[in-house]
Amino acid sequence: MYLVFCSLIRTFAGVMIEVKVQDVALRQAVGEGMDAFVDCFVKAIKEAIGGELTSETLPQLTSDQVTLLAWDVLHEEVMDGGFIQLIHNGYGPFIFKNPLAKALKLWGMRPLSKLIYDAHSLYVKYGAQLERDCSDEEFMALFEQYPEFDDLDDTFVEEEENWTNDIAHYIDEHIERFAEVIE
């Protein structure tokens, strides 16, 4: 998935996709915790764009909506298989060649931003090798071949709950940038 967007930190002009969140769904998500709250907005954005971010739908989203979708990809991939999996599955350009780290820094999430910049350095160094097609056995061997990612993966896992909490608070404080809450 190679999507390069002009800038996460500017507002796109043109027709905006309407993203709506049902108040009842939001209340239920709040009761379930920060993960569910964030996921409520991720699902609403994905639903509004037909399930997948494309070059056609990208310019119709706000920079905050795109940042949230990028966080979702980062979160899902790194929690499942670390930065090596994220890069191997083709998300390196989406995460590292776009201003996600800068956007998260603007959201007040400096430690996560720094982690992404650190991972970016390794992506530049090893990206081509990690993106190659390989067997499951060869893929599993990548984790031993590139131990430089271990500390980054560990930090992400250790801080994931705090970062999800930070994202949830940012959404809550800027809800209108993500969706319209309807009854």
Side-chain angles (χ1 to χ4, degrees), residues 15-28:
V15 178
M16 298 299 289
I17 292 175
E18 288 187 16
V19 177
K20 298 183 186 272
V21 174
Q22 295 285 332
D23 186 47
V24 67
L26 194 54
R27 288 177 201 231
Q28 181 180 354

Side-chain angles (χ1 to χ4, degrees), residues 19-32 36-37 40-41 44 47 172 175 179-183:
V19 177
K20 298 183 186 272
V21 174
Q22 295 285 332
D23 186 47
V24 67
L26 194 54
R27 288 177 201 231
Q28 181 180 354
V30 167
E32 293 174 13
F37 179 79
C40 189
F41 287 90
E47 183 178 309
D172 189 44
I175 208 161
E180 177 186 350
V181 179
I182 57 172
E183 297 204 25

Side-chain angles (χ1 to χ4, degrees), residues 1-2 73 76-78 80-93 127 130-133 139 142:
M1 174 180 188
Y2 185 71
V73 167
E76 292 299 315
E77 292 293 320
V78 175
D80 189 47
F83 282 98
I84 288 176
Q85 177 178 301
L86 178 135
I87 296 165
H88 180 74
N89 285 344
Y91 293 109
L130 295 173
E131 290 172 338
R132 289 189 317 230
D133 286 337
F139 172 72
L142 294 175

Side-chain angles (χ1 to χ4, degrees), residues 54-126:
T54 66
S55 58
E56 290 80 33
T57 58
L58 180 75
Q60 298 173 25
L61 296 175
T62 68
S63 57
D64 283 327
Q65 290 167 333
V66 174
T67 300
L68 183 59
L69 292 180
W71 157 257
D72 184 58
V73 167
L74 176 72
H75 179 259
E76 292 299 315
E77 292 293 320
V78 175
M79 290 301 290
D80 189 47
F83 282 98
I84 288 176
Q85 177 178 301
L86 178 135
I87 296 165
H88 180 74
N89 285 344
Y91 293 109
F94 181 56
I95 299 300
F96 301 119
K97 291 187 176 182
N98 292 298
L100 174 61
K102 184 174 184 178
L104 291 171
K105 185 176 179 182
L106 292 172
W107 283 15
M109 301 181 68
R110 286 183 180 278
L112 177 55
S113 176
K114 183 183 179 324
L115 183 79
I116 293 169
Y117 282 124
D118 291 345
H120 176 262
S121 296
L122 294 177
Y123 170 71
V124 168
K125 189 173 181 180
Y126 302 119

